[in-house]
Amino acid sequence: MSVLTVKNLNKTFKGGLFEKDRHVLRDVTFSLPEGETSGFVGSNGSGKTTTIKCVFDFIRPDSGEILFFGKPLSSPIKTRIGYLPERPYLYEFLSGMEFLRLHWNLCYGGSTKDFHERALEALRKVDLLEAKDRRLRTYSKGMLQRVGIAQAILTKPDLLILDEPMSGLDPDGRAMVKDILREEQKRGVSLFFSSHLLQDMEELCSHLIVINRGQILYDGGLSAFMAEFQSLEKAFQVLKVREERHV
Amino acid sequence: MFKVLALARTTLREMLREKVFMVVVLIALGLLGLSFLLGALSLAEQRKILADFGFLAIQVALLGISLFTGSYMLAKEIEKQTCLLILSRPVSRAQFIFGKILGVLALNTILVVSLAIVLIFLLGLFEQPQYLLSFAEICLSLWFEGAVLLGLAICFSLIVRPVLALGAGFMFFLLGHWLGDLQFFAQKSQEESFVLIVKVLHWISPNFYRMNWKSAYFLENGIPAGNVLWMLGHATGWTLLVILLTTFLFRRKDIV
């Protein structure tokens, strides 16, 4: 079963008075297999973030269909998904614990059952237990990224969608995020994360989606992809050249 | 409803930590202090000056909070993309808007109540309870004026840049207060186009002129119940209208 199916997604941003319209997504179609880690790779500006924003309805697509677990996005579906945007800006006046409490309340209303246990577990996973009562404005960039991941895994989601989760982090921070993702993999969570760094994909993914200039170039298993092209870097270049010739 | 309240509580906490809130409170307290000093200069008009300046202080505080937060609140959420995490949860865009607005209205309520208590103390109304009803009605009209302006500013901020939304909100504040004078001039004028413009303005702008009771005259003579009911209906209607319009616009907005 597919945890996320995206079919023929199109999006054009209207240009200004003297600007051309920008067709940023062209018939984007892919699906994420259940329980696998899917990487969404593409150059900067290729349409990764726009696709993810369309998936969550932050950006209204012009056409296309998006199904989570076979159904359109709804409140019950949203409780089964964890999300971390690119460069997460958080409410910095809240402490780590208050931030998690807010997200818990938004998911489960006033029910405080299990909150404390789950919050401490999530904070332990991201190594922020000691900083849980500090205001987020005192957190470093890496800590903010980690507390963002903590809110994403707080509700033990079935699907985790992370937009560039390792961008801007130092090597230690990147290693920590990868460890967290591996732990979630073991739990059987379906993972979907975008990156423009091919090394991350090779290390974590079993399924790969390649996007360039708003078009999907590849959607399939990583091993099949590697068998054809030997290295991701080479494959990415070849696919881009093929697509440009085709255009 | 709990989700809306959770968002409102977070918004209130955020606003209480904003510098603009402290500045507005200081200005309002400064005006109250000034009214006390000016009142002391004139023995005969002491109470009148104190009441007029006191209500003006409450109005300035509400105007500042409503227009500044209304213009920048959603724009900041969209620009910083803090709303993405919230909207990825089982929260609709309408619930998000309601939560934000409710948070600012809660702040306005705290502001009105605390400044009103100071003013009641300065005017010595504890010893003259017969004036407390009209005092409460005047404060309520100021609160509603703030609510309408907050809705307008948020609505404009979804269409234009925050600074323009701030300007547009202030323009509607002035227009709303000038409507009575404009109507007077239109009646005197023979110019048909001027009369027509004033008629149109009556439809597109809330009428703050008719709910402007912030003076010692209304405090001492009371406000007719019909006027209070009109104010409640008019202001509630406008507040709901702009909130609905804001929700409609926000639903259609791409958070790029």
Side-chain angles (χ1 to χ4, degrees), chain B residues 62-63 66 105 108 141-151 208:
Chain B
L62 289 173
L63 183 69
S66 301
L105 289 181
N108 279 358
S141 75
L142 294 173
W143 186 90
F144 267 111
E145 184 183 87
V148 175
L149 288 169
L150 171 71
F208 296 135

Side-chain angles (χ1 to χ4, degrees), chain B residues 1-59:
Chain B
M1 189 60 191
F2 191 88
K3 291 172 189 175
V4 174
L5 290 178
L7 286 168
R9 203 167 41 235
T10 309
T11 306
L12 178 63
R13 291 185 64 179
E14 183 182 13
M15 293 297 145
L16 286 170
R17 286 180 169 85
E18 290 276 342
K19 280 179 192 158
V20 68
F21 174 69
M22 294 312 295
V23 171
V24 163
V25 169
L26 285 176
I27 289 172
L29 288 175
L31 273 171
L32 278 177
L34 187 68
S35 65
F36 194 66
L37 289 175
L38 286 173
L41 290 176
S42 158
L43 281 173
E45 299 289 330
Q46 187 173 17
R47 189 184 171 84
K48 185 183 178 324
I49 292 172
L50 196 54
D52 289 359
F53 265 80
F55 289 129
L56 181 68
I58 296 174
Q59 186 182 37

Side-chain angles (χ1 to χ4, degrees), chain B residues 66-67 69-75 97 100-102 104 147-160 165 169 242-243 246-247 249-250:
Chain B
S66 301
L67 287 184
T69 55
S71 309
Y72 285 90
M73 187 171 61
L74 270 191
I97 291 278
K100 286 272 152 194
I101 290 176
L102 210 60
V104 183
V148 175
L149 288 169
L150 171 71
L152 282 170
I154 294 179
C155 190
F156 291 136
S157 76
L158 288 170
I159 304 165
V160 292
V242 285
I243 290 175
T246 305
T247 310
L249 290 173
F250 190 54

Side-chain angles (χ1 to χ4, degrees), chain A residues 126-127 139-146 149 164-180 197 199-200 203:
Chain A
V126 298
D127 198 20
Y139 280 26
S140 67
K141 190 176 177 185
M143 290 166 88
L144 286 174
Q145 193 82 358
R146 273 147 53 200
I149 292 175
E164 305 265 7
M166 282 162 275
S167 108
L169 294 182
D170 61 21
D172 285 345
R174 296 168 63 80
M176 180 171 274
V177 171
K178 282 178 192 172
D179 285 344
I180 297 165
L197 298 170
Q199 196 195 340
D200 298 340
E203 281 182 46

